[in-house]
């Protein structure tokens, strides 16, 4: 018989009309308690600072933009990001976090894609705050379905696009997390903000979750293993959320002492596959269990986690969060038989509303009755714990960041010495996957070097999208219609044994 949906015991998530996520987050903690800490553990901003300073910024944004305008946040993990993000939400504008380390051409393309009304960097925050007035601030009531954030993602349906996360969907996922006792943060907790805030994992799982619970966040602008360990120790970090590459880097460093994470009571991993060996090594060396989970931008983002239980099941991504419904679906759209793999479909108040200005792509991933087709394939144990087994899309995930092959391939073809190219992912113990490029040179007697191609790509794509290896080939496997068979290329790298 077909297996039923895998939703956990229902969690009633009531989102009242008039919700504004920005208002919820600034009111999450005691006014005198720290909201943001620096890497020495010193208070950067208290909750009362957040309240007053985001009021000033919100009034300045209201004077210069219109409700619903997109505000691009081209900022690293700095207090200015947090202030601008919360102010945009409080003002009823749509925040668009963008990777500040991306090439300007990529940033400009994303600004145009969402029709950004304003681009904010650290200097702009200071200018806006100088002209804002906390006395003139008027709270903006919004509908839960109003868009709060547009996050660029390759997602489940092709080239990078902006996923619209609403005030309701982001808040719903925060409430779903709080329904799991082991994941619930306390006011005296300190979260390590090492994940970039332009990524949904850093934005909502770390920053949003901590502020919603009245906890503090240590912002880390650039990850270096030794510096991050020093921040953990000095600030008394109790919660770490990272991608496997972060945990792997700590393991690889001889300078990481065995008691480096003595203060940590919760460590979670996501955005890329966490290997069993890494999980076991981290527990053995540091005495810390790293819980794995599964999510995607379009789900705001967490769908499942092993942190519902103290014990870890190697290879599992856990059961769905309370309030999140999951189905495993076969190619005919029917629920799979027990023990059979199926595509993960997700439904719940945390699911996004669609892709910005792209109803056609939205329709490919959202069903009429609200199911999100993730493109990921899993099997489920008899008690609903999931294990990922495959992906139905060509998406490559590098340290939690989505890389769509077509974007890198197009950039490679722009090089004069490249006739054609194809890109696939290859397993990587540290980053989950890395990018491999198969290149056909225009002149086989004088092919471009990997160094030349890397220099070319650095001007066009973000660093994590640059291939770790280049293979120069005479031809690419194709279908009779001329479509490149990436599956065949993955076979040559050992990533797809089927």
């Amino acid at each position: 018989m077909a297996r039923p949906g895998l939703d956990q015991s229902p969690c009633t998530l009531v989102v009242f009309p008039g919700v504004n996520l920005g208002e919820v987050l600034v009111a999450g903690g005691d006014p005198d308690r720290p909201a943001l800490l620096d890497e020495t553990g010193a208070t950067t901003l208290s909750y009362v600072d957040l309240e007053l300073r985001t009021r000033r910024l919100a009034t300045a944004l209201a004077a210069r933009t219109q409700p619903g305008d997109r505000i691009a946040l081209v900022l690293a993990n700095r207090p200015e990001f947090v202030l601008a993000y919360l102010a945009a939400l409080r003002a009823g504008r749509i925040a668009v976090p963008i990777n500040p380390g991306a090439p300007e051409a990529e940033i400009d393309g994303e600004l145009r894609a969402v029709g950004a009304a304003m681009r904010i960097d650290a200097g702009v925050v200071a200018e806006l705050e100088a002209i804002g007035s906390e006395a003139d601030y008027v709270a903006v009531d919004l509908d839960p379905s109003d868009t709060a954030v547009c996050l660029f993602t390759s997602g489940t349906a092709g080239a990078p696009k902006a996923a619209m996360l609403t005030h309701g969907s982001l808040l719903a996922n925060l409430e779903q997390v709080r329904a799991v006792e082991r994941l619930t943060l306390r006011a005296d907790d300190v979260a390590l903000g090492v994940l970039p805030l332009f990524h949904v994992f850093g934005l909502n799982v770390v920053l949003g979750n901590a502020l919603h619970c009245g906890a503090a966040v240590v912002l880390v602008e650039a990850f270096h293993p030794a510096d991050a360990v020093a921040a953990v120790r000095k600030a008394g970090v109790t919660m770490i959320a990272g991608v496997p590459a972060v945990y792997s880097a700590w393991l690889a460093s001889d300078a990481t002492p065995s008691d480096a994470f003595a203060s940590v009571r919760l460590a979670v991993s996501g955005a890329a596959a966490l290997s069993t060996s890494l999980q076991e090594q981290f527990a053995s060396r540091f005495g810390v269990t790293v819980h794995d989970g599964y999510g995607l931008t379009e789900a705001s983002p967490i769908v499942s986690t092993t942190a519902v239980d103290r014990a870890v099941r190697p290879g599992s991504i856990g059961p769905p969060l309370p309030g999140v419904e999951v189905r495993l679906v076969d190619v005919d759209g029917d629920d799979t038989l027990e023990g059979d793999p199926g595509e993960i479909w997700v439904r719940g108040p945390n699911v996004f509303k669609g892709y910005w200005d792209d109803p056609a792509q939205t329709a490919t991933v959202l069903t009429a009755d609200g199911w999100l087709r993730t493109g990921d394939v899993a099997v489920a144990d008899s008690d609903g714990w999931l294990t990922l087994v495959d992906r139905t899309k060509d998406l490559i995930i590098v340290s939690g960041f989505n890389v769509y092959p077509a974007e890198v391939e197009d950039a490679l073809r722009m090089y004069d010495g490249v006739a054609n190219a194809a890109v696939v992912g290859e397993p990587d113990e540290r980053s989950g996957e890395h990018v491999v490029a198969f290149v056909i040179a225009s002149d086989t007697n004088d092919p471009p070097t990997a160094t030349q191609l890397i220099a070319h790509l650095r001007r066009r794509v973000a660093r994590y999208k640059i291939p770790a290896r280049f293979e120069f080939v005479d031809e690419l496997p194709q279908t009779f219609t001329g479509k490149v068979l990436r599956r065949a290329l993955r076979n040559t790298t050992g990533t797809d044994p089927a």
Side-chain angles (χ1 to χ4, degrees), residues 201 268-274 279 290-295 302-307 316-319 388:
F201 199 2
V268 297
S269 179
L274 178 68
Q279 201 171 33
V290 181
H291 289 278
D292 203 4
Y294 168 74
I302 303 179
V303 172
S304 69
T305 176
T306 64
S316 177
I317 54 172
L388 287 174

Side-chain angles (χ1 to χ4, degrees), residues 3 6 8 304 313 316 318-320 379-387:
R3 65 178 302 109
L6 300 172
Q8 295 296 93
S304 69
R313 302 186 193 182
S316 177
V379 295
D381 294 341
S382 59
D383 57 356
W385 281 55
L386 300 165
T387 300

Side-chain angles (χ1 to χ4, degrees), residues 45 49 52-61 80 83 122-134:
L45 291 172
D49 293 330
L52 297 178
R53 294 183 65 178
T54 56
R55 281 189 176 210
R56 293 180 209 139
L57 283 169
T59 59
L61 288 176
E80 290 88 349
L83 291 168
V124 173
V125 172
E127 293 172 9
L128 289 171
E129 195 171 357
I131 65 172
S133 168
E134 61 193 62

Side-chain angles (χ1 to χ4, degrees), residues 369-450:
D369 53 351
W371 287 100
L372 169 65
R373 302 181 177 107
T374 69
D376 294 310
V377 177
V379 295
D381 294 341
S382 59
D383 57 356
W385 281 55
L386 300 165
T387 300
L388 287 174
V389 295
D390 199 359
R391 284 206 302 270
T392 62
K393 50 187 180 288
D394 290 323
L395 184 67
I396 304 166
I397 302 179
V398 179
S399 295
F401 295 103
N402 293 347
V403 179
Y404 194 71
E407 181 184 10
V408 183
E409 292 164 357
D410 289 345
L412 281 168
R413 294 188 194 103
M414 294 173 66
Y415 191 81
D416 288 341
V418 173
N420 201 1
V423 163
V424 299
E426 182 175 73
D428 188 300
E429 178 69 21
R430 295 189 63 182
S431 61
E433 288 182 292
H434 59 235
V435 179
V436 177
F438 292 82
V439 177
I440 298 177
S442 301
D443 182 353
T444 55
N445 294 319
D446 186 25
T449 66

Side-chain angles (χ1 to χ4, degrees), residues 203-472:
L203 186 70
N204 212 39
V205 177
V206 179
L207 179 66
N209 187 30
L211 296 183
H212 190 34
C213 296
V217 178
V218 179
L219 291 180
V220 177
E221 191 166 344
F223 175 70
H224 300 287
D227 292 345
V229 165
V232 168
R233 293 164 72 93
K234 291 177 181 178
V237 166
T238 60
M239 181 270 195
I240 296 175
V243 294
V246 167
Y247 296 105
S248 180
W250 280 325
L251 273 172
S253 174
D254 293 334
T256 311
S258 60
D259 64 346
F261 307 104
S263 61
V264 175
R265 67 175 185 83
L266 174 65
V268 297
S269 179
L274 178 68
S275 71
T276 300
S277 63
L278 193 159
Q279 201 171 33
E280 291 175 344
Q281 289 177 54
F282 207 87
S284 175
R285 180 171 168 185
F286 301 117
V288 174
T289 297
V290 181
H291 289 278
D292 203 4
Y294 168 74
L296 63 167
T297 301
E298 291 88 342
S300 303
I302 303 179
V303 172
S304 69
T305 176
T306 64
V308 298
D309 194 353
R310 184 178 299 275
V312 170
R313 302 186 193 182
S316 177
I317 54 172
L321 287 176
V324 177
E325 189 177 3
V326 168
R327 292 175 61 197
L328 300 184
V329 178
D330 63 22
V331 292
D332 297 320
D334 297 322
D335 292 322
T336 60
L337 298 176
E338 186 170 336
D340 287 345
E343 182 184 6
I344 301 172
W345 285 22
V346 178
R347 185 168 64 180
N350 57 305
V351 171
F352 82 143
K353 67 188 291 185
Y355 297 113
W356 179 265
D357 197 28
D358 200 341
Q361 290 293 351
T362 298
T364 67
V365 299
L366 284 180
T367 69
D369 53 351
W371 287 100
L372 169 65
R373 302 181 177 107
T374 69
D376 294 310
V377 177
V379 295
D381 294 341
S382 59
D383 57 356
W385 281 55
L386 300 165
T387 300
L388 287 174
V389 295
D390 199 359
R391 284 206 302 270
T392 62
K393 50 187 180 288
D394 290 323
L395 184 67
I396 304 166
I397 302 179
V398 179
S399 295
F401 295 103
N402 293 347
V403 179
Y404 194 71
E407 181 184 10
V408 183
E409 292 164 357
D410 289 345
L412 281 168
R413 294 188 194 103
M414 294 173 66
Y415 191 81
D416 288 341
V418 173
N420 201 1
V423 163
V424 299
E426 182 175 73
D428 188 300
E429 178 69 21
R430 295 189 63 182
S431 61
E433 288 182 292
H434 59 235
V435 179
V436 177
F438 292 82
V439 177
I440 298 177
S442 301
D443 182 353
T444 55
N445 294 319
D446 186 25
T449 66
T451 300
Q452 290 171 325
L453 293 177
I454 289 172
H456 165 76
L457 289 172
R458 280 177 175 162
R459 298 191 295 271
R460 290 165 175 81
V461 300
R463 183 172 58 182
Y464 62 86
K465 301 176 184 177
I466 295 175
R469 192 174 82 252
F470 293 86
E471 298 279 349
F472 292 90

